[in-house]
mmCIF file of all heavy atoms in Angstrom:
data_model
loop_
_atom_site.group_PDB
_atom_site.id
_atom_site.type_symbol
_atom_site.label_atom_id
_atom_site.label_comp_id
_atom_site.label_asym_id
_atom_site.label_seq_id
_atom_site.Cartn_x
_atom_site.Cartn_y
_atom_site.Cartn_z
ATOM 1 N N ALA A 32 113.370 101.495 82.752
ATOM 2 C CA ALA A 32 112.426 102.564 83.090
ATOM 3 C C ALA A 32 112.546 103.719 82.091
ATOM 4 O O ALA A 32 111.549 104.318 81.664
ATOM 5 C CB ALA A 32 112.659 103.050 84.506
ATOM 6 N N ALA A 33 113.811 104.032 81.713
ATOM 7 C CA ALA A 33 114.024 105.115 80.756
ATOM 8 C C ALA A 33 113.406 104.780 79.414
ATOM 9 O O ALA A 33 112.720 105.600 78.792
ATOM 10 C CB ALA A 33 115.547 105.402 80.597
ATOM 11 N N VAL A 42 110.630 109.462 69.163
ATOM 12 C CA VAL A 42 112.099 109.281 69.077
ATOM 13 C C VAL A 42 112.384 107.837 68.803
ATOM 14 O O VAL A 42 111.542 106.961 68.981
ATOM 15 C CB VAL A 42 112.766 109.686 70.481
ATOM 16 C CG1 VAL A 42 112.589 111.181 70.750
ATOM 17 C CG2 VAL A 42 112.201 108.849 71.608
ATOM 18 N N LEU A 59 117.648 88.066 93.794
ATOM 19 C CA LEU A 59 118.755 87.228 93.360
ATOM 20 C C LEU A 59 119.229 86.269 94.460
ATOM 21 O O LEU A 59 119.587 85.125 94.199
ATOM 22 C CB LEU A 59 119.918 88.092 92.891
ATOM 23 C CG LEU A 59 121.016 87.422 92.113
ATOM 24 C CD1 LEU A 59 120.512 86.653 90.889
ATOM 25 C CD2 LEU A 59 122.099 88.386 91.694
ATOM 26 N N ALA A 91 124.717 93.414 72.976
ATOM 27 C CA ALA A 91 126.081 93.796 72.556
ATOM 28 C C ALA A 91 126.853 94.268 73.759
ATOM 29 O O ALA A 91 126.284 94.757 74.745
ATOM 30 C CB ALA A 91 126.048 94.862 71.472
ATOM 31 N N LEU A 110 127.999 102.366 67.206
ATOM 32 C CA LEU A 110 126.693 102.928 67.042
ATOM 33 C C LEU A 110 126.792 104.431 67.395
ATOM 34 O O LEU A 110 127.593 104.779 68.271
ATOM 35 C CB LEU A 110 125.680 102.290 68.006
ATOM 36 C CG LEU A 110 125.458 100.795 67.858
ATOM 37 C CD1 LEU A 110 124.800 100.249 69.125
ATOM 38 C CD2 LEU A 110 124.556 100.495 66.668
ATOM 39 N N GLY A 326 121.666 103.043 96.397
ATOM 40 C CA GLY A 326 121.652 102.194 95.206
ATOM 41 C C GLY A 326 120.580 101.137 95.314
ATOM 42 O O GLY A 326 120.897 99.926 95.397
ATOM 43 N N SER A 334 115.196 107.504 88.750
ATOM 44 C CA SER A 334 116.206 108.271 88.009
ATOM 45 C C SER A 334 116.176 107.920 86.533
ATOM 46 O O SER A 334 116.430 108.779 85.701
ATOM 47 C CB SER A 334 117.612 108.043 88.612
ATOM 48 O OG SER A 334 117.970 106.675 88.516
ATOM 49 N N ARG A 357 112.270 110.284 95.646
ATOM 50 C CA ARG A 357 111.222 110.152 96.649
ATOM 51 C C ARG A 357 111.414 108.757 97.368
ATOM 52 O O ARG A 357 111.186 107.768 96.734
ATOM 53 C CB ARG A 357 109.833 110.234 96.017
ATOM 54 C CG ARG A 357 109.380 111.646 95.855
ATOM 55 C CD ARG A 357 108.059 111.782 95.166
ATOM 56 N NE ARG A 357 107.905 113.107 94.615
ATOM 57 C CZ ARG A 357 108.489 113.497 93.451
ATOM 58 N NH1 ARG A 357 109.173 112.665 92.764
ATOM 59 N NH2 ARG A 357 108.360 114.772 93.041
ATOM 60 N N TRP A 388 106.748 92.895 102.487
ATOM 61 C CA TRP A 388 107.878 92.642 101.599
ATOM 62 C C TRP A 388 107.447 91.705 100.430
ATOM 63 O O TRP A 388 107.730 91.965 99.286
ATOM 64 C CB TRP A 388 108.998 91.940 102.414
ATOM 65 C CG TRP A 388 110.190 91.537 101.599
ATOM 66 C CD1 TRP A 388 111.299 92.320 101.425
ATOM 67 C CD2 TRP A 388 110.415 90.320 100.905
ATOM 68 N NE1 TRP A 388 112.214 91.660 100.630
ATOM 69 C CE2 TRP A 388 111.672 90.401 100.297
ATOM 70 C CE3 TRP A 388 109.676 89.166 100.771
ATOM 71 C CZ2 TRP A 388 112.219 89.362 99.546
ATOM 72 C CZ3 TRP A 388 110.181 88.141 99.971
ATOM 73 C CH2 TRP A 388 111.432 88.261 99.407
ATOM 74 N N ALA A 415 105.845 73.787 102.940
ATOM 75 C CA ALA A 415 106.471 72.433 102.917
ATOM 76 C C ALA A 415 107.908 72.516 103.461
ATOM 77 O O ALA A 415 108.577 71.457 103.502
ATOM 78 C CB ALA A 415 106.486 71.907 101.456
ATOM 79 N N ASN A 440 135.047 80.698 82.990
ATOM 80 C CA ASN A 440 134.964 81.356 81.676
ATOM 81 C C ASN A 440 133.583 81.762 81.252
ATOM 82 O O ASN A 440 133.370 82.356 80.242
ATOM 83 C CB ASN A 440 135.598 80.458 80.587
ATOM 84 C CG ASN A 440 134.810 79.187 80.415
ATOM 85 O OD1 ASN A 440 133.744 79.058 80.929
ATOM 86 N ND2 ASN A 440 135.353 78.283 79.616
#
Side-chain angles (χ1 to χ4, degrees):
Chain A
V42 294
L59 192 57
L110 299 163
S334 62
R357 277 177 200 80
W388 178 91
N440 66 8

